[in-house]
Amino acid sequence: MENLIHIVEDDEDIRYILEYVLRDAGYNLQLFESICDFHNRDKTQQPDLFLLDVRLPDGCGLDLCREIKSSRLTSSIPVIVMSAHANGDFAVTDGKADHFMAKPFDLDGFMLKIKTVLDAKRQLD
């Protein structure tokens, strides 16, 4: 599996778990603790998926999602928003996310969602 996933998650423990299970499944990752870190990333290679937390130390993941979806370069890349606080319907309609996952989530369900989203993207490419 050669898919690249960009993860913006400020919680170190959650980031560690996501990194562990996704790398173990063969995904390539770039991890960011904040929106600022994300904005300073190497933009030469676009990911196949964005995975965003809502509550970040320097802003809102839904704002970042709207930014991603409004860019010509990244608008077609799927975004999954994760939160223990946000409303899933709001994240998708107002935040422009493609998918929403409520925290805490079951890791098997999480991995199935990642695979399903990336398989669907692959069929569109």
Side-chain angles (χ1 to χ4, degrees), residues 54-66:
V54 170
R55 287 191 173 178
L56 295 163
D58 57 349
C60 177
L62 294 178
D63 293 336
L64 180 57
C65 183
R66 283 188 288 273

Side-chain angles (χ1 to χ4, degrees), residues 9-68:
E9 169 62 65
D10 64 317
D11 185 295
E12 184 177 352
D13 293 332
I14 294 173
R15 224 177 28 252
Y16 173 80
I17 291 167
L18 295 178
E19 179 178 19
Y20 180 82
V21 297
L22 290 167
R23 285 200 197 279
D24 189 55
Y27 295 105
N28 293 314
L29 307 174
Q30 284 190 328
L31 300 134
F32 309 96
E33 295 181 20
S34 67
I35 293 172
C36 182
D37 288 344
F38 176 79
H39 283 149
N40 291 325
R41 74 192 184 283
D42 175 7
K43 298 175 184 86
T44 58
Q45 184 181 15
Q46 293 294 350
D48 298 291
L49 173 66
F50 291 103
L51 189 56
L52 310 176
D53 186 20
V54 170
R55 287 191 173 178
L56 295 163
D58 57 349
C60 177
L62 294 178
D63 293 336
L64 180 57
C65 183
R66 283 188 288 273
E67 178 185 320
I68 289 167

Side-chain angles (χ1 to χ4, degrees), residues 52-117:
L52 310 176
D53 186 20
V54 170
R55 287 191 173 178
L56 295 163
D58 57 349
C60 177
L62 294 178
D63 293 336
L64 180 57
C65 183
R66 283 188 288 273
E67 178 185 320
I68 289 167
K69 288 302 190 176
S70 67
S71 169
R72 177 182 61 75
L73 297 174
T74 56
S75 64
S76 65
I77 299 171
V79 177
I80 298 175
V81 169
M82 320 172 284
S83 180
H85 309 286
N87 174 297
D89 292 335
F90 182 77
V92 172
T93 56
D94 188 59
K96 308 299 181 206
D98 296 290
H99 304 276
F100 177 80
M101 294 204 66
K103 290 179 184 175
F105 43 77
D106 169 74
L107 286 177
D108 291 332
F110 170 78
M111 293 303 292
L112 180 60
K113 173 69 86 176
I114 298 294
K115 181 181 180 333
T116 302
V117 169

